[in-house]
C-alpha cells in the first residue's frame, strides 16, 4: 500500500538475477548486496535492474529471497539475522538446494531474529526473459508459505506444498538428485568408454537403442561442466538428505567427488565433448 | 557339412534359453547341462528344445556360448576347459556381464585347453519368440569374433567390434552401467521421496517436467526387482571396470549394495510400487 514493493535478493547469481529481472519488470524494487562481489555479479545485478544497498538496508525489506550456493545458505541467513530491525517481521524465503536438516537450522536463525520463515526450492532454469511467463517453479512449504504466494503477482510460478518446513527443500533434493545424478553417471560412463577406446561403439549403440538419453546428454553434459563446481555441495546435501549408512548416501557422496573432478579436469571435459561431437548414426 | 550344427549353451537361464530357442528354430542342435539345476531351468531347457548332456559331451560341441550370471562366468569356463577333447579347437564365446579383466582370465583358461576364444556382450532382452528377427544384439570382439559371425545364420544379431578381447565386454559394462545405474538412482530417490512424505509431490513434478523418465520408471523399476539379485555382481564388475580410486568406481560399488538391499527388502518394493501406482497428472 502506498509505495513500491521492496524485495531483497541478497546475491545476484544467475538464478537470483534472473528472478529479480522478472520482479523488476513486474514493478517491484529489488535490492541486493554487491560489495566485494565479482564483476559478473555487478553486471548481472545492473542488467536485472537490481539496486545495491548495505546489509542494514537489505534487512529492512519486507520479503527476502535467499538464492545462493548451498554452502553459503546458512551464513547468508546469519548475516541477514544480525541486521533485522527490532519489531519488524520480514518474510525470509530460503530457496536454496540444501537438505531439510540445514533448512531447519536456517529457520531457527531467522525466526530467532524475529523474521517469518518459508522453506522453498527452485525447479527449472532461470527465466530467460524478464517479460513473459516462462520460468522455473518455486515450491514453498511451512509457516510462511501462504504469504510467499503473493510473489505470483510479480510473475513467479510459486506452488504450495503441504508438509511444513523441509518439504519444499526435500522435493528439491529429490529432483536435483535425479537430474544431476543422471548427468553424473552418464558423464562417468562416456569418459570410461573414451578411455577404453569404446567411444564410437557406445555412441552408435546409444543412438540405436537409447536415443533419448543420447539427445539429453548432448545438451545437459556440455551445460554441466561450467556448473559442476556448484553441484559438489548440492550432491553432499543430497547425501545427507538420504541418510547416513544407506548405500544411496554413498552414491551421492561419490557424485560430489566426481563433480569436483569434472569441475577442474580439462581432459575430462575434452573427452566428453569428443564423445558427444560424434555425428548420430542417422547422420553418418 | 554332413549334419546338424551343434551349439552348446551350458546354462538355460532366461537369456540362454531364449537364444537357444532361436538357434533350435533355425535348425541347430543345442546341448546344455541340467543336472542338479532348478525346476525352472529344466522347464526353460525343455521349452527351448535344448538337449541335456554330460559335461564331457558338452565340451565336444564346436561352438560354446557361455550365458551365465557373472559370478559363475569363470567357473563355467574352468569346467568346460577340463573336458575339451585333445586335438579339438572349439570356439568358446563368453557373452557374460564381466569386466575385461575377468574376460582375460577366462580367455587364458579356455585357450590353455586348446579352444579358441571370443569376447562377447549381450545388449537387450532375450528374444520373445523363437521365430522372427527381434532379439538382443550380441557384440563380439577378439580373435574368435570373425568365426562367431556364423551365428547370424541361426537368427542371432551378431555385431563385430574392433579392439580385441575386452572390447565387447567393455561395451556391455558401459551399457549396463548406464541403464542399471539410471534405474538404481531413480529407485533410490523414489524411496527417499516416499520416506519423507513427498511421493505425491515428486510424482506430480516428474509428470510435469520429466515425463519420459517417469514413463521409463513405470516399466523398468517393477521389472528390476526380480532381477536385482543378479545385478549385484554386475555392478561390482562395472566398478572394477571403472578403475579403483575413481569416485565412479565407488558409485557403482554402492549401486551393488543398493541392489543387494532391493533384492531382499519387501518394504522397498512396496514403496516403489506405491509411488509408480499413482495416476499420472493427466489421469487425475
Amino acid at each position: 500500500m502506498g509505495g513500491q514493493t521492496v524485495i531483497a535478493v541478497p546475491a545476484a547469481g544467475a538464478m537470483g538475477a534472473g528472478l529479480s529481472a522478472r520482479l523488476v519488470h513486474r514493478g517491484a524494487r529489488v535490492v541486493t548486496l554487491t560489495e566485494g562481489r565479482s564483476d559478473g555479479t555487478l553486471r548481472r545485478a545492473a542488467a536485472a535492474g537490481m539496486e545495491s544497498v548495505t546489509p542494514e538496508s537489505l534487512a529492512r525489506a519486507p520479503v527476502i529471497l535467499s538464492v545462493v550456493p548451498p554452502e553459503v545458505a546458512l551464513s547468508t541467513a546469519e548475516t541477514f539475522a544480525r541486521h533485522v530491525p527490532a519489531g519488524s517481521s520480514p518474510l525470509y524465503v530460503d530457496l536454496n538446494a540444501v537438505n531439510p536438516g540445514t533448512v531447519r537450522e536456517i529457520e531457527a536463525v531467522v525466526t530467532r531474529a524475529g523474521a517469518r520463515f518459508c522453506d522453498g526450492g527452485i525447479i527449472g532454469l532461470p527465466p530467460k526473459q524478464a517479460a513473459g511467463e516462462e520460468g522455473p517453479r518455486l515450491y514453498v512449504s511451512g509457516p510462511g508459505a501462504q504469504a510467499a504466494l503473493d510473489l505470483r503477482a510479480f510473475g513467479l510460478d510459486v506452488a504450495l506444498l503441504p508438509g511444513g518446513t523441509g518439504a519444499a527443500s526435500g522435493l528439491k533434493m529429490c529432483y536435483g538428485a535425479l537430474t544431476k545424478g543422471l548427468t553424473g553417471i552418464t558423464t562417468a560412463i562416456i569418459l570410461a568408454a573414451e578411455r577404453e577406446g569404446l567411444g564410437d561403439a557406445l555412441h552408435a549403440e546409444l543412438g540405436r537403442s537409447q536415443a533419448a538419453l543420447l539427445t539429453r546428454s548432448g545438451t545437459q553434459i556440455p551445460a554441466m561442466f561450467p556448473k559442476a563446481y556448484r553441484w559438489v555441495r548440492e550432491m553432499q546435501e543430497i547425501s545427507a538428505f538420504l541418510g547416513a549408512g544407506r548405500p544411496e548416501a554413498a552414491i551421492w557422496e561419490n557424485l560430489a567427488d566426481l563433480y569436483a573432478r569434472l569441475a577442474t579436469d580439462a581432459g575430462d571435459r575434452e573427452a566428453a565433448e569428443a564423445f558427444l561431437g560424434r555425428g548420430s548414426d542417422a547422420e553418418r
Side-chain angles (χ1 to χ4, degrees), chain A residues 187-221:
Chain A
T187 306
I189 295 308
I190 283 173
L191 295 175
E194 289 290 330
R195 281 197 301 273
E196 303 289 328
L198 293 167
D200 280 338
L202 182 63
H203 194 281
E205 178 55 39
L206 294 181
R208 191 177 76 92
S209 63
Q210 300 284 344
L213 183 62
L214 189 58
T215 301
R216 181 194 186 280
S217 299
T219 56
Q220 297 298 311
I221 293 177

Side-chain angles (χ1 to χ4, degrees), chain A residues 232 235-236 250-263:
Chain A
V232 174
M235 297 302 106
Q236 291 166 341
I251 292 170
W252 272 268
E253 191 63 43
N254 282 288
L255 279 165
D257 292 349
L258 175 66
Y259 279 126
R261 193 187 77 214
L262 296 177

Side-chain angles (χ1 to χ4, degrees), chain A residues 158-246:
Chain A
V158 188
L160 188 65
L161 272 189
T165 295
S169 49
L171 181 63
K172 168 68 180 177
M173 293 282 94
C174 289
Y175 196 87
L178 279 178
T179 57
K180 290 159 189 163
L182 174 56
T183 297
I185 68 169
T186 311
T187 306
I189 295 308
I190 283 173
L191 295 175
E194 289 290 330
R195 281 197 301 273
E196 303 289 328
L198 293 167
D200 280 338
L202 182 63
H203 194 281
E205 178 55 39
L206 294 181
R208 191 177 76 92
S209 63
Q210 300 284 344
L213 183 62
L214 189 58
T215 301
R216 181 194 186 280
S217 299
T219 56
Q220 297 298 311
I221 293 177
M224 168 273 291
F225 278 100
K227 297 187 278 193
Y229 76 97
R230 281 202 272 126
W231 293 3
V232 174
R233 177 61 179 257
E234 184 171 344
M235 297 302 106
Q236 291 166 341
E237 293 284 333
I238 290 164
S239 179
F241 170 67
L242 293 171
R246 290 199 176 89

Side-chain angles (χ1 to χ4, degrees), chain A residues 7-11 15-16 19-20 23 63-70 73-74 76-77 91-99 103 106 117-124 136-141 145 148-149 151 156-159 168-173 180 234:
Chain A
I7 300 173
V9 179
M15 181 62 82
L19 295 175
S20 295
L23 296 169
V63 180
I64 298 89
L65 306 183
S66 173
V67 186
V68 297
L74 180 58
T76 298
L91 177 67
Y92 188 92
V93 188
D94 187 283
L95 290 162
N96 302 305
V98 289
N99 81 71
V103 168
I106 293 171
F117 182 75
C118 174
D119 183 17
I122 303 175
I123 289 182
R137 174 164 287 186
L138 280 56
Y139 282 100
V140 294
S141 68
L149 296 181
L151 291 164
L156 301 190
D157 177 8
V158 188
S169 49
L171 181 63
K172 168 68 180 177
M173 293 282 94
K180 290 159 189 163
E234 184 171 344

